[in-house]
Amino acid sequence: MAAVGQELGVSFELTDEQKALRELAHDFAEREIRPRAAEYDEHSTHPADVIAKAHELGLMNLHVPEAYGGAGLSCFDGMLVNEELNWGCSGIGTALAVNGLGAGPVIVFGSEEQKKDFLTPLVEEPILISFGLTEPNAGSDVSGIQTTAVRKGDEYILNGSKMFITNAGHARWVVVFAKTDPSAHGHQGLSAFVVPTELDGVIHEKHLDKMGQRSTDTSAIAFQDVAVPVANRIGEEGEGFKIAMTVLDFTRPGTAIGAVGVARAAYEHAKAYAVERTQFGMPIAMNQGVNFLIADMATKIEAARLLTWQAAWMIDAGHGRKATLYSSMAKRFSADTAMEVTTDAVQIFGGYGYMKEYPVEKLMRDAKLFQIYEGTSQIQRLVIARELLMAK
C-alpha cells in the first residue's frame, strides 16, 4: 500500500517497488496490449497470446499468497497493475484480472488442501478460472439464485445455469454458488464450490456477443447432474453469500481502477486531438467549450483514482464495513466517471470520434460495462446508502 510517513501521517508517494510494478504493467500494456486491442475487439478474439505473456511476467494471479508460489500482492498493489492493463485495453485487462475474482473464495475461505490444489497451478501455467454467481434470473438479486447442489454421500449433484460469466469458455474451473438448502429464505442457504469444467455435465452453452470489452470471453454455462466432490465445497454449507460478498468487496477497487484506466486513456487521446485539431484558424483546445471538458475530465479522473486508492488502503488495513462503504463509493464514482469521460472524448473528436478507426469509440463502448458488472451503479448506491444510514 502507499507509504505512510510518521511525520506527515499520510503520504501518496509510492515506494520504489510499487513504481517499478506500475512501470512493468504500463510497458506491457503499451507493447503487448495496445497494438492488438482494436483487432481483438473487432473479432472478439480471445487474447491467449497476451495472457501467456502476462503470466510469464507475473502480471496475473497477483493476490495468490507466496506460500503457494504467488506474489501475494495487496489490494492496493494490484490496483497499480490493473489501471495500466485497462489503460491498454479493458477487454484484455479484464481477461487477465478476473482470475483474482475466481481465486478469491479459495484464497480467503479455502482449506489448506484446496489452496494447494487450486492456487499453485495458477502460478505454474496460464490457467484461466471464473466466478459463477450471476444467473439468467439472478443478477443484482443474489437471492434469486436457482442453481442447486444436493448432497449425496461424498458428492453434491449440481444443476442450474450461470449467465455473463467472464472467461467461462476457457476456464479450467469455476467457483459456482448454489442453493444447498432449498427451504432457506433469500440469499441464505447458498454454498460455494470449485467446479472443474472437465466434469461430466458441465456445458458451455454460448459465447455472448457484447457491445464492449469484446476481447474478454463472456459466456453462459450450464450444469446438468454434475457430481462435485464434497472436498470442493469452499467453507461450510450456507456460507456462500458471505464468501461472495467478501470477495467482491476485495475486488471492487480493482474493477474501479480499471474504469480509471479507461477514462485516462480517453482523456489522453482527447487532449492530444484537441491540441492538434484546428478549426476557425486555431486549435480546438483554445475553445472554452473544449478546454473546460478537458479540465473536468482530468479532475474527475484524479478524484476517482484517489477514492479508489483509499478504498484499497482500507481493505488492506482491515477496516471491515467502512472498507465496504468506500469500495462501493469507488466503484460507483469510477464507473460513472469512465462513462462521462469517454462520452466527452467522443464529443471532442466530433464526427471522427464516432468512427471505429479512432480509439475513443471503442473506449466509450468499453466504459459502459463498468456501470453494470460486479454490481451496477444503482446497486452501489443502495450499498452506500445502507452503510451510511444504518451504521451504528
Side-chain angles (χ1 to χ4, degrees), residues 7-214:
E7 295 181 1
L8 296 177
V10 175
S11 171
F12 295 103
E13 181 68 24
L14 300 179
T15 66
D16 290 341
E17 291 80 5
Q18 289 170 328
K19 292 176 182 177
L21 179 65
R22 183 171 64 177
E23 184 177 354
L24 175 67
H26 179 80
D27 290 346
F28 180 83
E30 189 170 45
R31 184 180 68 256
E32 301 292 346
I33 295 180
R34 280 204 164 183
R36 295 162 173 78
E39 179 185 356
Y40 284 17
D41 171 80
E42 181 180 357
H43 301 291
S44 291
T45 302
H46 174 62
D49 56 337
V50 181
I51 290 170
K53 291 176 181 178
H55 183 273
E56 185 178 357
L57 286 176
L59 294 174
M60 290 179 63
N61 308 304
L62 304 173
H63 308 299
V64 171
E66 293 180 0
Y68 310 101
L73 295 186
S74 66
C75 181
F76 188 95
D77 289 344
M79 283 201 315
L80 299 177
V81 173
N82 284 341
E83 178 177 347
E84 301 307 321
L85 298 182
N86 283 270
W87 171 86
C89 170
S90 60
I92 296 175
T94 297
L96 293 171
V98 80
N99 268 23
L101 179 61
V106 179
I107 293 173
V108 181
F109 294 94
S111 67
E112 184 65 24
E113 184 176 357
Q114 288 172 337
K115 291 175 182 179
K116 289 178 180 178
D117 289 347
F118 297 116
L119 298 182
T120 302
L122 298 180
V123 181
E124 296 174 343
E125 56 181 306
I127 295 168
L128 293 180
I129 57 177
S130 296
F131 184 83
L133 182 66
T134 301
E135 296 188 359
N137 294 312
S140 298
D141 182 13
V142 177
S143 66
I145 283 179
Q146 297 177 353
T147 298
T148 60
V150 179
R151 184 162 182 173
K152 292 188 176 181
D154 292 333
E155 296 177 330
Y156 285 89
I157 306 303
L158 192 68
N159 282 282
S161 60
K162 298 293 179 178
M163 179 63 78
F164 308 130
I165 306 304
T166 304
N167 284 344
H170 304 274
R172 179 75 62 87
W173 49 268
V174 183
V175 172
V176 176
F177 295 86
K179 279 271 191 181
T180 46
D181 181 0
S183 65
H185 296 290
H187 56 69
Q188 298 176 5
L190 285 179
S191 301
F193 303 87
V194 175
V195 181
T197 55
E198 63 185 14
L199 293 179
D200 291 340
V202 178
I203 302 168
H204 177 236
E205 289 189 314
K206 183 180 180 181
H207 168 79
L208 303 172
D209 192 12
K210 306 191 298 293
M211 177 174 75
Q213 299 198 21
R214 291 169 53 79

Side-chain angles (χ1 to χ4, degrees), residues 304-372:
R305 180 183 294 110
L306 289 175
L307 183 56
T308 304
W309 279 23
Q310 184 179 17
W313 178 86
M314 286 184 167
I315 287 172
D316 290 335
H319 282 297
R321 292 291 293 272
K322 196 170 184 181
T324 296
L325 169 63
Y326 278 82
S327 290
S328 286
M329 285 180 170
K331 170 64 166 59
R332 200 292 297 170
F333 187 77
S334 297
D336 292 349
T337 292
M339 196 70 248
E340 292 173 18
V341 168
T342 55
T343 301
D344 286 343
V346 170
Q347 191 71 20
I348 288 172
F349 272 77
Y352 292 110
Y354 204 64
M355 301 296 111
K356 286 186 176 293
E357 62 184 290
Y358 287 83
V360 290
E361 176 269 344
K362 174 184 178 296
L363 291 168
M364 182 177 174
R365 288 188 287 107
D366 288 346
K368 185 59 191 174
L369 189 53
F370 287 102
Q371 293 182 308
I372 299 173

